Amino acid sequence: MKRSIALWCMAVVFSACEKDYLPRPMGYNRIDLPEHSFATLEGQYPYTFEYSTHSQVESDSFNLQEKNWINLHYPGLGAKVHLTYKGIDGDRQKLRSILQDSFSLTAKHQVKAYSIEEAVTRTSKGYTGVIAELSGEVPTQFQFFVTDSTDHFLRGALYFNTAVKNDSLAPVIAYIKEDMMHLVNSLEFKK
């Protein structure tokens, strides 16, 4: 009896070992995205807009001297939208310099970007904006700036705090891009 059990166990062990092993394909994380909903920005900023209620407004800790720089932090998605504001005060030379800096910041990603698509837009309040979409393994996939060309300039850039490939983040990027476009279209500079 013991001998037949031992033979049966050995047969099971040897028949279970195959050399034709195929690894399972890698899976993708399931990302559940909430419905879009918006709130109006409160505070003593020279601008106001509607932002996603799924994000948190935070002071920018990079440059503490700039009180009008803020971040929209999406804690559930591991993303931040960095918003930087500059007053122009009617100075055309200052506007040119700020515009040049903004285009330079986008162009720095050309090393890793497959493409950079820029589009000029006009907001419902009559402001001029430039939207930049970057493809490839770049740290920021979506950027914009909006200006009234005389007094105000607001720039935004989307960043993720993760090493995940951008193709895996595509649904989240599209979701936040929609939020950012709503921000751009609801932006109003204060007098």
Side-chain angles (χ1 to χ4, degrees):
M1 178 75 168
K2 288 182 183 180
R3 189 172 186 188
S4 63
I5 291 174
L7 286 173
W8 183 79
C9 286
M10 284 180 36
V12 168
V13 168
F14 288 122
S15 67
C17 298
E18 293 181 19
K19 291 186 180 192
D20 295 336
Y21 172 73
L22 294 175
R24 291 184 177 184
M26 291 184 65
Y28 295 98
N29 295 333
R30 178 182 169 144
I31 302 171
D32 293 322
L33 299 171
E35 290 292 321
H36 292 280
S37 63
F38 302 96
T40 302
L41 179 68
E42 301 292 329
Q44 298 299 316
Y45 303 107
Y47 50 83
T48 186
F49 53 75
E50 292 182 1
Y51 67 97
S52 174
T53 57
H54 305 291
S55 66
Q56 301 166 348
V57 178
E58 303 174 339
S59 295
D60 188 272
S61 60
F62 178 72
N63 191 344
L64 298 176
Q65 296 170 340
E66 297 287 350
K67 301 295 181 203
N68 296 317
W69 290 18
I70 60 173
N71 295 324
L72 299 178
H73 181 219
Y74 288 80
L77 302 175
K80 279 190 182 184
V81 176
H82 296 276
L83 297 171
T84 56
Y85 171 83
K86 292 287 185 183
I88 300 169
D89 305 320
D91 186 345
R92 302 295 287 169
Q93 190 60 33
K94 188 174 184 180
L95 175 62
R96 276 191 206 99
S97 176
I98 293 170
L99 288 170
Q100 187 175 17
D101 287 346
S102 185
F103 284 117
S104 293
L105 287 170
T106 302
K108 284 183 179 180
H109 298 288
Q110 287 179 336
V111 175
K112 289 192 170 196
Y114 301 138
S115 70
I116 299 175
E117 294 180 30
E118 293 178 332
V120 178
T121 186
R122 191 76 141 167
T123 70
S124 60
K125 304 290 186 215
Y127 307 136
T128 303
V130 173
I131 311 297
E133 292 187 63
L134 295 88
S135 301
E137 294 307 316
V138 291
T140 177
Q141 301 78 17
F142 191 80
Q143 300 179 14
F144 70 87
F145 71 77
V146 178
T147 183
D148 65 357
S149 301
T150 56
D151 296 311
H152 306 281
F153 182 91
L154 182 72
R155 182 177 189 281
L158 170 63
Y159 290 93
F160 285 91
N161 188 22
T162 182
V164 176
K165 300 278 188 192
N166 289 341
D167 60 344
S168 298
L169 292 172
V172 178
I173 294 168
Y175 177 84
I176 297 175
K177 176 183 151 188
E178 205 171 314
D179 286 352
M180 291 173 73
M181 289 305 299
H182 184 85
L183 183 155
V184 166
N185 288 315
S186 66
L187 175 66
E188 186 170 357
F189 293 119
K190 296 178 183 176
K191 301 285 180 203

